[in-house]
Amino acid sequence: MQLSEDRYSPICLEAAVWVDVLIRHGLLHAAVQFPTGHWLIARHAGDPGRAVNTPAEVLALVAAVQRRVRSSAGRTR
């Protein structure tokens, strides 16, 4: 197993911060980043999790969650 040299790159750190924000706000249940740079992300309790391979995929997942929240907020106004 090779450690990812990019783990502390700006995009990796941005992905980690966004995941933390979504977890704090209850929009994701849990996320674990492995030393290889891969992630395991669970949207809900009991969810076995989804493997995410790159920080760009993590940010795409974050964007999808944000779109879902925004579209839900628009329906309740």
Side-chain angles (χ1 to χ4, degrees):
M1 173 172 54
Q2 182 179 353
L3 295 179
S4 171
E5 296 177 22
D6 299 272
R7 187 166 184 200
Y8 298 104
S9 70
I11 191 169
C12 289
L13 295 174
E14 181 180 0
V17 168
W18 273 112
V19 165
D20 186 51
V21 167
L22 294 180
I23 289 171
R24 287 185 196 192
H25 288 275
L27 299 169
L28 286 179
H29 178 68
V32 177
Q33 184 181 17
F34 295 97
T36 59
H38 294 82
W39 289 78
L40 184 62
I41 298 176
R43 288 188 176 203
H44 310 284
D47 182 8
R50 171 182 167 188
V52 182
N53 297 316
T54 66
E57 289 180 39
V58 173
L59 292 175
L61 177 68
V62 167
V65 170
Q66 289 176 330
R67 283 191 299 273
R68 187 183 71 217
V69 168
R70 288 180 183 146
S71 68
S72 300
R75 284 183 270 177
T76 60
R77 289 183 185 176

